[in-house]
Amino acid sequence: MVLKIKRPVREEPNVQHVLERMPKKVADSFSDEQLSHLNTALAGRRWGNHKVDVRGTISLLRSRYYFVLLAGTDKRDLSRTESRIGRIAMAATVALFFCVSLILGLVLLYILKSWLGINLFEGFSLGLWDWLKGKS
């Protein structure tokens, strides 16, 4: 299987990267067909640079384990489903932020009201102000 290439195979980034790492005489010896198959084999294998690139090994008992943590900007196109899930997650995050902010704001206003001695309903209290006074 050969990838459909829109530009000359020698201008493909994967092919250029491989050819730059070998002597010019050897690089010039490849035919376009060989380079096309080489490009197919290398497709998706070049990781590039990441803002976070942590690699290491851990020895536990008689075994060694390796770990890799890569993070950076995602430059891939999202599918319709991934894009929709992303929008839903963002909307849920914003809604949660506003709900938490609203609750926190109302609690702070209630504490301020109680501190000033204002009673909105005679004989009714949530007990929050009394609880805070007891803590201090």
Side-chain angles (χ1 to χ4, degrees), residues 16 20 24 27-28 33 36 42 45 51 53 55 57 62 70 80-81 89 91 93-94 101 103-104 111 113 121 127:
Q16 283 181 342
E20 288 170 357
K24 182 161 176 44
D28 291 340
E33 183 181 2
S36 294
L42 295 173
R45 289 292 190 190
K51 292 192 186 245
D53 188 347
R55 301 165 190 255
T57 58
R62 295 181 183 173
L70 299 174
R80 185 178 298 188
T81 304
T93 302
V94 169
S101 297
I103 291 169
L104 185 62
I111 292 171
K113 172 204 77 75
F121 301 106

Side-chain angles (χ1 to χ4, degrees), residues 34-48:
Q34 289 172 324
L35 291 174
S36 294
H37 288 288
L38 189 62
N39 187 40
T40 302
L42 295 173
R45 289 292 190 190
R46 190 160 174 216
W47 290 100

Side-chain angles (χ1 to χ4, degrees), residues 110-112 114-117 125-134:
Y110 181 80
I111 292 171
L112 179 65
S114 298
W115 180 63
L116 293 173
S125 175
L126 294 176
L128 184 59
W129 178 246
D130 296 331
W131 178 76
L132 283 174
K133 281 193 324 187

Side-chain angles (χ1 to χ4, degrees), residues 57-128:
T57 58
I58 299 172
S59 297
L60 294 175
L61 302 174
R62 295 181 183 173
S63 301
R64 285 180 30 160
Y65 299 94
Y66 70 92
F67 65 90
V68 177
L69 174 65
L70 299 174
T73 306
D74 188 4
K75 297 176 184 173
R76 302 172 298 170
D77 291 331
L78 297 177
S79 69
R80 185 178 298 188
T81 304
E82 291 171 328
S83 180
R84 186 167 186 232
I85 290 170
R87 286 194 307 270
I88 290 170
M90 181 60 78
T93 302
V94 169
L96 180 66
F97 173 77
F98 280 124
C99 287
V100 169
S101 297
L102 179 66
I103 291 169
L104 185 62
L106 289 173
V107 167
L108 290 175
L109 282 174
Y110 181 80
I111 292 171
L112 179 65
K113 172 204 77 75
S114 298
W115 180 63
L116 293 173
I118 301 170
N119 288 327
L120 299 177
F121 301 106
E122 199 61 42
F124 176 77
S125 175
L126 294 176
L128 184 59

